[in-house]
Amino acid sequence: MADPWVREYNEATKLSDDISSMISAMSSYSSGPEAQRHASATRRKITILGTRLDSLQSLLTKLPARQPLTEKEMNRRKDMLANLRTKVTQMGSALNMSNFANRDSLLGPDTKAADAMSRTTEQDEGLEKLEETVISTKHIALAVNEELDLHTRLIDDLDHHVDVTDSRLKRVQKHLAILNKRTKGGCSCLGLLLSVVGIVMLLVAIWMIIKYL
């Protein structure tokens, strides 16, 4: 009875040869559905071959328990399997290169024009969104600037009112000093009372100014 691993390996090798022939025949197909179907069939066979190689790898690890092999034979089969995997990888790369080479002819000029139109539309949409963001940021900056100008005017008005109040206070103090000199001792209490009243009035005036700012 034939070795099951060898039988499986021979079938995988035959499938590999079929795939190689299919890839070589890719150049004979022009653009169109037929070329696409041939490429899809080739890719399916490559996938099937990869599955068979995984099965061979699993079977190889179980062989020593079922079928004694020399170390030399075990290494030989491992090399055979590795070489076949390398070939599968190369065939997959060759198929991809063939697809890329025929991509323009497979898609046709209409599809390429549609792709270019789609890319242009996406770029225009991106520029519109960027413009909207810039305009929104500009409006925010203008609003902040107006708010700063308003606060600056309020502070200037407050400074002006404080200066006016300070000037009035100095005039009142000057008048009180003159009044105090005139009245001397006898009317000192009256002068003091007037001073207190004047200061209170000034404080009330300052409070009213601050309140209505």
Side-chain angles (χ1 to χ4, degrees):
M1 185 175 179
D3 187 332
W5 191 91
V6 174
R7 184 175 62 253
E8 289 288 337
Y9 178 81
N10 290 336
E11 291 179 359
T13 303
K14 184 177 181 302
L15 181 58
S16 174
D17 294 338
D18 291 342
I19 295 171
S20 296
S21 299
M22 294 177 70
I23 292 176
S24 299
M26 287 285 294
S27 59
S28 63
Y29 288 91
S30 59
S31 61
E34 188 65 26
Q36 294 181 8
R37 283 194 294 269
H38 184 79
S40 297
T42 305
R43 192 175 301 279
R44 282 196 300 270
K45 286 196 173 185
I46 291 177
T47 302
I48 293 172
L49 181 55
T51 303
R52 287 196 173 185
L53 292 181
D54 292 338
S55 178
L56 282 169
Q57 180 66 44
S58 177
L59 185 59
L60 188 61
T61 58
K62 297 176 182 178
L63 276 179
R66 300 179 180 178
Q67 177 183 347
L69 294 175
T70 63
E71 182 178 356
K72 181 178 179 180
E73 178 63 17
M74 177 64 72
N75 292 333
R76 187 181 74 86
R77 295 189 181 191
K78 288 180 179 180
D79 291 339
M80 292 167 59
L81 190 58
N83 292 335
L84 193 54
R85 282 190 182 277
T86 301
K87 186 176 181 180
V88 171
T89 302
Q90 292 173 349
M91 289 189 296
S93 299
L95 179 61
N96 290 334
M97 292 177 62
S98 178
N99 287 337
F100 288 144
N102 296 329
R103 181 177 182 274
D104 290 342
S105 59
L106 289 174
L107 292 177
D110 293 339
T111 304
K112 289 188 291 183
D115 289 343
M117 181 74 70
S118 177
R119 288 193 296 270
T120 302
T121 302
E122 290 177 359
Q123 292 175 355
D124 291 342
E125 290 177 354
L127 290 175
E128 289 177 358
K129 290 181 180 179
L130 179 60
E131 183 180 3
E132 291 175 359
T133 302
V134 171
I135 293 175
S136 176
T137 303
K138 182 179 179 180
H139 289 166
I140 293 174
L142 290 175
V144 171
N145 188 49
E146 291 177 357
E147 187 72 17
L148 290 175
D149 289 341
L150 176 60
H151 284 290
T152 301
R153 288 196 299 271
L154 290 176
I155 292 174
D156 291 340
D157 291 342
L158 179 61
D159 290 339
H160 174 71
H161 287 298
V162 169
D163 291 339
V164 172
T165 302
D166 184 63
S167 177
R168 290 177 180 175
L169 179 60
K170 288 180 180 179
R171 287 199 299 269
V172 171
Q173 289 177 342
K174 183 177 180 180
H175 289 314
L176 289 175
I178 294 172
L179 180 62
N180 186 42
K181 288 180 180 179
R182 289 178 180 178
T183 56
K184 297 296 183 180
C187 297
S188 59
C189 291
L190 178 60
L192 181 60
L193 179 62
L194 292 175
S195 298
V196 172
V197 171
I199 293 173
V200 170
M201 292 178 64
L202 285 174
L203 291 175
V204 171
I206 293 174
W207 179 79
M208 292 293 291
I209 291 171
I210 295 175
K211 179 179 178 181
Y212 290 102
L213 282 179

